[in-house]
């Protein structure tokens, strides 16, 4: 009869613990590197969503980015000050602002994409290409990002 794992071993083997630790390590690496471009991970995500989907309302960005509305407002304010996006009133709803990426926003987002690709390669270096695909597939099964309407 196998000996049950001790409490510490059991804790350290929990998938929820491992994903939290690995996720934080990935966040730390990406945060440090993107800061050199003046971006955060979520700011990069906002620019990416706007490149993909075109102008979006701030509440759509909040939902798509899985971020609090107040966080998105702060990020949009900073990205607008940097010249990476603009806000325009929606003629159909005066309470709504459409957020749109600028040409300089596209340029910085492309640079951030290249950096993120490099970081991902470096972070996942211990895994084979097949293991990387398996990890990505499993993580996508656990969380699918919402799409803008």
């Amino acid at each position: 009869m196998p000996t049950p794992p001790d409490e510490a071993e059991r804790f350290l083997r929990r998938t929820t613990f491992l994903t939290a630790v690995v996720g934080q390590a990935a966040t730390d690496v990406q945060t440090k590197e993107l800061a050199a471009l003046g971006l955060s991970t979520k700011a990069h995500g906002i620019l990416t969503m706007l490149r993909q989907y075109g102008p979006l309302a701030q509440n759509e960005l909040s939902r798509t980015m899985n971020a609090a509305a107040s966080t998105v407002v702060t990020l949009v304010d900073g990205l607008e000050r940097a010249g990476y996006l603009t806000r325009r009133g929606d003629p159909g709803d005066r309470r709504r602002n459409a957020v749109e990426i600028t040409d300089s926003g596209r340029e910085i987002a492309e640079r951030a994409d290249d950096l993120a690709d490099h970081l991902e390669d470096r972070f996942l270096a211990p895994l084979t290409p097949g293991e990387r695909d398996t990890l990505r597939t499993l993580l996508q099964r656990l969380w699918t990002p919402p799409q803008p309407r």
Side-chain angles (χ1 to χ4, degrees):
M1 174 181 259
T3 306
D6 66 28
E7 292 303 310
E9 181 184 341
R10 190 169 142 222
F11 174 79
L12 295 172
R13 288 186 348 185
R14 282 194 180 110
T15 304
T16 51
F17 171 75
L18 291 169
T19 55
V21 170
V22 171
Q24 187 60 56
T27 298
D28 291 347
V29 167
Q30 194 161 3
T31 298
K32 180 182 174 188
E33 298 289 335
L34 284 175
L37 296 179
L39 295 176
S40 66
T41 300
K42 287 196 186 254
H44 178 210
I46 286 173
L47 294 173
T48 299
M49 294 302 118
L50 294 173
R51 277 174 42 207
Q52 175 69 35
Y53 299 112
L56 295 171
Q58 287 179 185
N59 65 346
E60 290 173 308
L61 282 170
S62 295
R63 191 174 56 76
T64 305
M65 294 295 302
N66 196 32
S70 59
T71 299
V72 170
V73 168
T74 301
L75 290 167
V76 167
D77 287 346
L79 291 168
E80 186 175 39
R81 277 192 303 276
Y84 298 146
L85 55 80
T86 59
R87 279 185 264 214
R88 298 178 190 199
D90 183 339
D93 183 349
R94 293 176 52 163
R95 298 167 295 169
R96 179 181 168 194
N97 282 317
V99 181
E100 186 172 1
I101 193 167
T102 64
D103 288 340
S104 61
R106 287 181 206 292
E107 290 172 17
I108 196 73
E110 287 173 17
R111 289 178 56 201
D113 285 345
D114 291 342
L115 180 59
D117 288 343
H118 173 72
L119 291 172
E120 184 165 306
D121 283 343
R122 193 172 73 204
F123 188 76
L124 297 176
L127 303 178
T128 67
E131 289 169 333
R132 292 177 187 199
D133 290 342
T134 299
L135 176 62
R136 185 178 303 106
T137 298
L138 293 172
L139 291 172
Q140 287 171 332
R141 283 179 55 194
L142 293 173
W143 184 72
T144 302
Q147 301 293 310
R149 294 175 196 183

